[in-house]
Amino acid sequence: MRILHTSDWHVGKVLKGKNRNEEHIKVLAQVVEIARAERPDLVIVAGDLYDTAAPTAEATRLVTRALSALRKTGARVVAIGGNHDNGAALDALRPWADAAGIELRGSYPKGDLNDLLIEGTTEGGERWRLVALPFLSQRYAIRAAEMYELTAAEANQTYADLVARLIAKLSEPFSEPGAVNLLTAHLTIVGASTGGGEREAHTIMGYAVPATVFPANAHYVALGHLHRNQTVISPCPTRYCGSPLAVDFGEEENVCSVAIVDVSTDKAAHVRDVPVTSALTLRTVRGTLEQLATVNLPDAWLRVLVREAPRPGLREDVQELLPNALEVRIDPDMLPSRDGARSAERAGRSPRELFGDYLDSRGNAEEGVRELFDALYDEVSSNK
């Protein structure tokens, strides 16, 4: 059977105030085109369909249309909730999804966990079963009282043990021969490369689990959450497919793609990455205004580190040269060092003197700035 593995769409993402909806439309359209060309039997979307737990109507429309388009290629479609998604809200869409032939698993059921085991048969007669694990919050997995009583290391180990027991229970049918055993989850594996773009609160070791939680008799594990495509050393073939677009400047070196997996009961999973190129790339450039004037990157969003002394209007000058500059900052190498000795030297100096020191350290010679500070300081002081 053939699988298209994608994850971390982050629809609704705003980058430095820039709405990326048009890019997401193109990216997901390309993912659908890849599905039409590759003709997978199964599409797995391994979490973080949205960038926020409260997506806009526009974002919801785009995600549901993309899932429907993937289903119309003839593939079964399974999507799980990630840490950015609202699991309950995804579950509320299940009547629509069921009618459209799409399997949505936003959160963990309060009743029968077997709802997380999905089975099917390809047109070629290959049977498959898939354990679909939405993101599991540590707070949800471990009761508040237990977390209070446990040390950080004990809480981390308890979380990893719970995930391992959950996977072991749900994958019990894997021992029965004659089907391709699959698992998808949205989580962090110890030792994997984060690749930027994930919220730090959910990629710290407290949420990481060892790859040994996966059963050796799984034919393929499709992971979401980390945005860099990579293979994980594990008892079974395990892979992060990465995000189909770079969601922030920490990901500018990532290669955006989806994974195409060919696997059968008697053949090891063969994985190849298909690039997704529809979104603008993200790039960091640095230099003086003269150097920045030579930059020619019209198809990229830019983070600009300026090697100039700070002054009013500098940002506007940079954005006039580079209209795609979303973030403009002074290059950290240009900023003065701050140490304790310098702070001690300033002790006892007046606010006027300290402000004058600050302007001198930044090379600011703008006329009237010191006089304006004096006037404001006198006004504030007289009102005390």
Side-chain angles (χ1 to χ4, degrees):
M1 67 179 297
R2 174 166 290 179
I3 303 162
L4 187 152
H5 170 200
T6 180
S7 73
D8 297 276
W9 292 354
H10 287 271
V11 174
K13 173 68 178 178
V14 175
L15 178 62
K16 308 297 179 183
K18 179 66 178 180
N19 186 299
R20 305 186 72 188
N21 185 64
E22 291 303 316
E23 287 179 89
H24 266 114
I25 291 174
K26 294 177 182 178
V27 163
L28 295 182
Q30 187 177 356
V31 172
V32 172
E33 284 304 312
I34 292 171
R36 288 179 181 146
E38 296 288 348
R39 299 184 59 82
D41 301 288
L42 173 65
V43 173
I44 297 175
V45 188
D48 280 356
L49 287 79
Y50 299 104
D51 190 62
T52 171
T56 63
E58 185 177 45
T60 301
R61 187 180 304 112
L62 178 52
V63 166
T64 53
R65 286 181 175 177
L67 293 174
S68 295
L70 287 169
R71 181 69 182 99
K72 288 177 181 177
T73 66
R76 288 279 297 274
V77 178
V78 177
I80 61 173
N83 60 295
H84 283 243
D85 298 317
N86 184 325
L90 282 181
D91 287 336
L93 289 173
R94 282 189 62 170
W96 161 80
D98 291 343
I102 297 163
E103 308 278 358
L104 269 184
R105 299 295 184 270
S107 58
Y108 286 80
K110 295 181 180 179
D112 188 4
L113 281 177
N114 285 328
D115 185 55
L116 301 178
L117 180 64
I118 301 166
E119 299 182 274
T121 304
T122 69
E123 287 186 4
E126 187 93 65
R127 288 181 52 231
W128 57 267
R129 48 197 165 217
L130 170 68
V131 171
L133 300 177
F135 176 73
L136 180 62
S137 166
Q138 191 183 55
R139 290 187 183 132
Y140 181 84
I142 306 172
R143 292 181 302 179
E146 291 177 338
M147 292 188 70
Y148 180 78
E149 294 169 358
L150 299 173
T151 66
E154 289 171 337
N156 296 349
Q157 186 59 53
T158 300
Y159 176 77
D161 290 344
L162 284 170
V163 172
R165 283 158 46 199
L166 177 64
I167 290 175
K169 179 65 177 176
L170 287 170
S171 60
E172 285 178 354
F174 286 8
S175 60
E176 301 172 9
V180 177
N181 299 322
L182 306 169
L183 188 148
T184 184
H186 193 87
L187 44 73
T188 305
I189 300 298
V190 174
S193 173
T194 59
E198 301 82 23
R199 290 176 180 170
E200 183 64 20
H202 293 301
T203 54
I204 57 175
M205 291 305 293
Y207 281 89
V209 299
T212 52
V213 299
F214 302 126
N217 56 0
H219 292 91
Y220 182 71
V221 175
L223 296 178
H225 189 36
L226 303 187
H227 293 180
R228 177 171 295 166
N229 56 26
Q230 59 192 292
T231 297
V232 175
I233 298 175
S234 167
C236 56
T238 303
R239 188 162 180 83
Y240 286 100
C241 63
S243 175
L245 82 169
V247 301
D248 65 31
F249 287 103
E251 301 184 11
E252 58 184 280
E253 300 301 325
N254 292 356
V255 178
C256 299
S257 60
V258 298
I260 300 296
V261 186
D262 290 300
V263 62
S264 65
T265 55
D266 57 357
K267 187 181 296 184
H270 176 264
V271 183
R272 55 189 168 88
D273 294 320
V274 179
V276 177
T277 57
S278 300
L280 270 67
T281 57
L282 305 183
R283 292 289 181 264
T284 297
V285 297
R286 65 178 71 205
T288 63
L289 285 177
E290 183 179 359
Q291 292 168 329
L292 294 174
T294 66
V295 172
N296 183 25
L297 292 170
D299 297 323
W301 297 122
L302 303 178
R303 173 173 59 182
V304 183
L305 304 180
V306 191
R307 300 189 63 82
E308 300 268 357
R311 60 173 173 79
L314 181 59
R315 174 186 293 273
E316 289 74 14
D317 290 344
V318 171
Q319 290 179 324
E320 184 175 349
L321 291 172
L322 301 170
N324 282 2
L326 299 184
E327 181 179 354
V328 179
R329 294 193 286 122
I330 300 298
D331 191 323
D333 293 342
M334 297 289 294
L335 298 177
S337 61
R338 297 180 175 89
D339 53 38
R342 195 165 193 174
S343 298
E345 291 175 3
R346 292 174 176 174
R349 295 172 67 79
S350 70
R352 288 185 174 87
E353 291 171 325
L354 291 173
F355 186 66
D357 290 346
Y358 171 79
L359 293 180
D360 292 340
S361 71
R362 295 300 181 97
N364 190 309
E366 194 80 12
E367 285 188 26
V369 174
R370 296 171 197 261
E371 291 76 7
L372 178 59
F373 176 84
D374 289 342
L376 291 172
Y377 180 71
D378 289 341
E379 180 180 345
V380 172
S381 299
S382 64
N383 290 332
K384 288 185 179 179

